[in-house]
Amino acid sequence: MFSGDLKNILFIFLLTFVSPIFATENIPTWMHDKNAVYPSSEYISALGFGKSKKLAKENAISEISRYLKTEIKTTVQAESKADSYNGKTNYSQKLEENVTISSSTTLSGFEYTNPCYSKKEKTWYCVAYINREDAWNQYLPEIENEKSVFYSFYDKALSEKEPIFKCKFYKLAEEPAENLLAALDYARLLQPKNGELYAAERKTVIELPSLIESEKIKCSVFLDIKGDYGNIFASAISKILAENGFIISDDKNKSNYIANIDVENNSIGENPLSIIPSIDFKLYGKYKAVYSLNDRLENKTVAYELEKAQKKAYPKLAEKFCEKLSTDLAEILGK
């Protein structure tokens, strides 16, 4: 028989060294059925493992990060489509999302279970988790920020009267629209049941391509040109306007824009004569003049006949002028 002191020592030994061995065999429910403890309808969670407690925690949180990024990449893509019916073109956009989440998109406040050790596998296990509603509320300011940036351009477009300026601000809204869409899809992964809270914003983003196209159609322009020779300026300017989204019209009364173009020879002398041609370009909308540009050649062109001088000088001025015109229009239209 053991004495009282020896019994106490033996009890302490068993309590200190043997109990933890049995305790580690007490496998928690989350190790074999994570969703029973952290149902996916309420939590974002992942089971991690590793050779140490620290590695198990790191593996769990990396699995959550991988899940969010992978799901976003496979759930988002915007695809535009045009359908023609009875001579009218309707534009629509189908979302299938192809958005890469920014590295700055992070969540905090994840919790962890106490890591558990499997003697059989010689591996530590741990679950990282966060309540979906908490994650949504944490991310909500990011959504509101992206929404604010998008609507700053979108609302400006709505306030404009001229089609070219509406078109400009709708185009400037395209990148913020993509950012907003990415934020909404990330948030939808965090808390799916709240996804419809921003249904109106999604609808607005989807309609953006059709709004741009509808304004482009209104950008018809009639060229009222004086002093041209051999359609040199008419041809060059028409090309630049068309490249920048304008529709060249041959009916002044049905055009939303009129381009008044005056070409002057600025002739000096006779036999031979010299010219220093200049051009004055003004673009008028229905409400006001929206753009103007003046240009001229710096050097004289000398010839015995005016037409020969024009034939030499006009292509040079047209090239010089159209280079400036193209740059300006790209800026005006937000390209």
Side-chain angles (χ1 to χ4, degrees):
M1 298 295 295
F2 296 107
S3 68
D5 290 340
L6 190 57
K7 285 182 179 179
N8 289 336
I9 292 171
L10 183 60
F11 175 76
I12 293 172
F13 174 84
L14 291 172
L15 184 66
T16 304
F17 295 101
V18 179
S19 294
I21 295 174
F22 286 103
T24 57
E25 298 300 313
N26 238 352
I27 303 300
T29 303
W30 54 259
M31 267 186 73
H32 57 81
D33 190 1
K34 175 175 66 69
N35 288 330
V37 183
Y38 304 101
S40 60
S41 60
E42 298 178 35
Y43 294 92
I44 301 169
S45 64
L47 178 67
F49 58 89
K51 295 301 180 182
S52 67
K53 295 180 182 181
K54 181 174 181 293
L55 289 175
K57 285 185 174 183
E58 290 177 353
N59 180 254
I61 199 67
S62 68
E63 284 299 313
I64 288 180
S65 177
R66 187 178 295 112
Y67 157 74
L68 290 174
K69 290 182 179 180
T70 301
E71 288 300 306
I72 281 288
K73 286 181 180 178
T74 57
T75 55
V76 189
Q77 181 164 10
E79 181 181 303
S80 296
K81 179 172 116 171
D83 296 314
S84 296
Y85 181 72
N86 286 341
K88 294 183 179 179
T89 301
N90 296 317
Y91 292 85
S92 62
Q93 192 175 62
K94 178 183 177 185
L95 293 181
E96 292 183 359
E97 303 184 12
N98 184 11
V99 177
T100 300
I101 294 301
S102 167
S103 59
S104 63
T105 301
T106 57
L107 293 174
S108 60
F110 282 94
E111 297 183 71
Y112 301 87
T113 59
N114 288 325
C116 183
Y117 185 71
S118 170
K119 286 181 64 180
K120 181 180 180 181
E121 300 177 17
K122 297 181 180 180
T123 301
W124 287 92
Y125 288 90
C126 175
V127 170
Y129 63 93
I130 188 171
N131 181 276
R132 287 187 179 275
E133 200 64 31
D134 291 342
W136 169 276
N137 291 330
Q138 185 184 148
Y139 191 65
L140 197 56
E142 180 73 16
I143 302 174
E144 289 298 318
N145 178 63
E146 298 295 354
K147 175 183 170 182
S148 177
V149 174
F150 167 71
Y151 277 106
S152 67
F153 293 106
Y154 183 83
D155 290 343
K156 177 64 176 171
L158 292 180
S159 70
E160 292 288 344
K161 292 182 178 181
E162 291 290 349
I164 61 171
F165 295 129
K166 279 183 172 290
C167 199
K168 171 183 179 177
F169 287 105
Y170 280 140
K171 285 184 177 180
L172 289 174
E174 286 183 308
E175 184 175 341
E178 291 179 7
N179 295 337
L180 174 58
L181 187 63
L184 291 177
D185 279 286
Y186 186 82
R188 187 170 60 184
L189 278 180
L190 301 180
Q191 180 53 290
K193 72 179 184 180
N194 290 346
E196 291 306 308
L197 295 178
Y198 287 88
E201 284 70 23
R202 284 183 175 277
K203 184 174 183 293
T204 301
V205 168
I206 291 171
E207 292 173 346
L208 192 59
S210 64
L211 290 173
I212 292 172
E213 293 303 323
S214 68
E215 295 305 323
K216 279 184 178 180
I217 293 170
K218 298 175 186 176
C219 292
S220 57
V221 58
F222 176 82
L223 271 60
D224 186 0
I225 186 166
K226 299 179 178 68
D228 199 359
Y229 170 76
N231 289 324
I232 291 174
F233 285 97
S235 177
I237 292 173
S238 294
K239 181 174 180 291
I240 296 302
L241 289 171
E243 287 175 351
N244 283 276
F246 284 90
I247 299 170
I248 309 302
S249 171
D250 57 4
D251 190 333
K252 186 174 183 178
N253 295 323
K254 293 182 179 179
S255 300
N256 287 319
Y257 292 94
I258 307 295
N260 285 344
I261 306 164
D262 289 315
V263 182
E264 297 287 343
N265 290 311
N266 303 308
S267 302
I268 303 172
E270 294 181 7
N271 297 319
L273 61 81
S274 58
I275 64 171
I276 307 176
S278 62
I279 181 171
D280 180 59
F281 178 99
K282 287 186 175 64
L283 185 65
Y284 293 92
K286 288 192 173 182
Y287 305 97
K288 60 181 179 179
V290 296
Y291 173 74
S292 65
L293 178 63
N294 300 302
D295 202 4
R296 65 187 295 149
L297 287 182
E298 296 176 0
N299 299 319
K300 297 177 183 179
T301 299
V302 180
Y304 283 96
E305 296 177 9
L306 178 59
E307 286 189 0
K308 287 184 177 180
Q310 291 173 327
K311 192 174 181 180
K312 289 180 181 179
Y314 278 19
K316 296 177 182 178
L317 178 57
E319 182 180 1
K320 182 171 179 279
F321 173 80
C322 285
E323 186 176 336
K324 290 183 180 179
L325 179 64
S326 181
T327 300
D328 288 353
L329 289 179
E331 183 176 344
I332 291 170
L333 297 173
K335 291 188 175 181

